Amino acid sequence: MRRFFCFLAVTLAVLLSCACSAQPADTHTAAIGAEFAHDTSAFTQGLLYYDDALYESTGQYGQSRLRQVEPASNTVTRELRLPDRYFGEGLARVGDQLFWLTWRSGRAFVFDIHSFEQIGTRRYDGEGWGLTYDGRRLIMSDGSATLRVLEPSDFSVVRRIDVHDGGRAVDKLNELEYVDGEIWANIWYSDRIARIDPDSGAVLAWLDASPLRTALGPAADGANVLNGIAWDADSGRIYLTGKYWPKIFTVAQPPDIPPTLD
């Protein structure tokens, strides 16, 4: 009988431990800082901040553009268009190079960030959605719950990250940004952003960006999904926008997530 109760106690402890580890991540609400104008014709796919400028990639066949934008004035200082047969997707910077994905063509184009001249091409299998750089390797989404970690030199897959919130897979991962050791991901057709542990794939917390859509006011009727995350590491500001949105917002970086106690 004593063995039975010991077994029962251990079993309950394991079940409780699993239940605790499967709890969904907390949600924090985005606090709006500044607002800037944004081109409502831009079907935003990728967004990044570098050297006081925003770099944005847009999609749609025949309308896919890569451009450098001065945020305060919404002035486009440099721009190029993809050939009409390509649908532009996510964007990431590696040093002085910009990597720009395409949706279903299996190609990423590499451009010099200063001249916007094409300097290379990479190939990959499947669809390309979002792209970011962690300081060593690229991380790519394809709309599923799995992220691919890629070597920038040849796009070979180093490993895969299965993203989950508690015991539930999180799919529809879209535009990505590497923010202070975390992968941030827009969720397609959602106003929430997942903050992901790059090692385990666990969602550490959610950012509720619905206040941004509310702040669009009547213009929200013509706005598409939230999509576009750019991090200014020096100021800690995060730029957020969406497809066909009339505004780009900055939000304060949320508080650090307390470490999980073992």
Side-chain angles (χ1 to χ4, degrees):
M1 183 65 70
R2 182 178 298 175
R3 288 183 180 177
F4 172 75
F5 282 115
C6 288
F7 172 78
L8 183 61
V10 170
T11 302
L12 287 172
V14 170
L15 290 174
L16 287 171
S17 174
C18 291
C20 290
S21 63
Q23 291 297 312
D26 291 338
T27 298
H28 305 283
T29 302
I32 298 175
E35 300 180 8
F36 304 101
H38 180 243
D39 182 1
T40 55
S41 71
F43 193 74
T44 305
Q45 301 286 49
L47 192 70
L48 64 88
Y49 184 93
Y50 172 68
D51 198 20
D52 297 326
L54 287 171
Y55 291 82
E56 182 178 29
S57 59
T58 70
Q60 302 289 21
Y61 291 109
Q63 301 177 40
S64 296
R65 293 169 290 169
L66 170 64
R67 57 191 192 172
Q68 177 183 340
V69 182
E70 201 286 315
S73 63
N74 192 32
T75 301
V76 177
T77 55
R78 187 177 293 121
E79 182 176 82
L80 65 83
R81 294 185 63 163
L82 279 182
D84 290 354
R85 66 182 180 276
Y86 295 114
F87 190 117
E89 283 282 352
L91 183 71
R93 180 182 70 87
V94 179
D96 290 336
Q97 299 178 348
L98 292 171
F99 287 74
W100 188 9
L101 298 177
T102 55
W103 182 25
R104 291 177 167 173
S105 300
R107 289 189 182 184
F109 297 101
V110 188
F111 299 91
D112 180 276
I113 196 170
H114 303 294
S115 66
F116 273 24
E117 292 183 4
Q118 185 181 343
I119 55 177
T121 304
R122 303 288 187 271
R123 300 275 187 169
Y124 53 88
D125 295 329
E127 296 184 0
W129 285 39
L131 193 67
T132 191
Y133 182 59
D134 68 2
R136 185 181 177 191
R137 294 190 171 104
L138 291 162
I139 304 168
M140 184 174 78
S141 67
D142 58 11
S144 71
T146 300
L147 301 173
R148 281 178 270 180
V149 180
L150 310 173
E151 286 289 358
S153 59
D154 59 5
F155 266 43
S156 58
V157 179
V158 177
R159 66 186 182 95
R160 299 176 190 272
I161 304 170
D162 295 321
V163 179
H164 58 279
D165 182 13
R168 181 182 66 85
V170 178
D171 62 359
K172 298 183 176 62
L173 301 171
N174 201 353
E175 145 76 340
L176 306 175
E177 179 78 349
Y178 196 76
V179 180
D180 201 18
E182 303 172 0
I183 303 168
W184 285 34
N186 282 123
I187 307 299
W188 191 38
Y189 285 124
S190 168
D191 285 334
R192 296 205 303 167
I193 293 171
R195 298 170 59 184
I196 302 163
D197 182 331
D199 295 321
S200 68
V203 174
L204 302 169
W206 292 93
L207 183 67
D208 174 12
S210 59
L212 279 62
R213 188 177 294 276
T214 301
L216 292 176
D221 292 339
N224 204 294
V225 296
L226 178 79
N227 201 60
I229 310 168
W231 181 46
D232 177 1
D234 292 333
S235 69
R237 292 193 302 180
I238 296 165
Y239 293 80
L240 301 178
T241 191
K243 302 175 187 293
Y244 301 143
W245 280 31
K247 293 181 181 180
I248 291 179
F249 297 90
T250 64
V251 300
Q253 193 163 333
D256 291 336
I257 301 167
T260 302
L261 298 177
D262 295 328

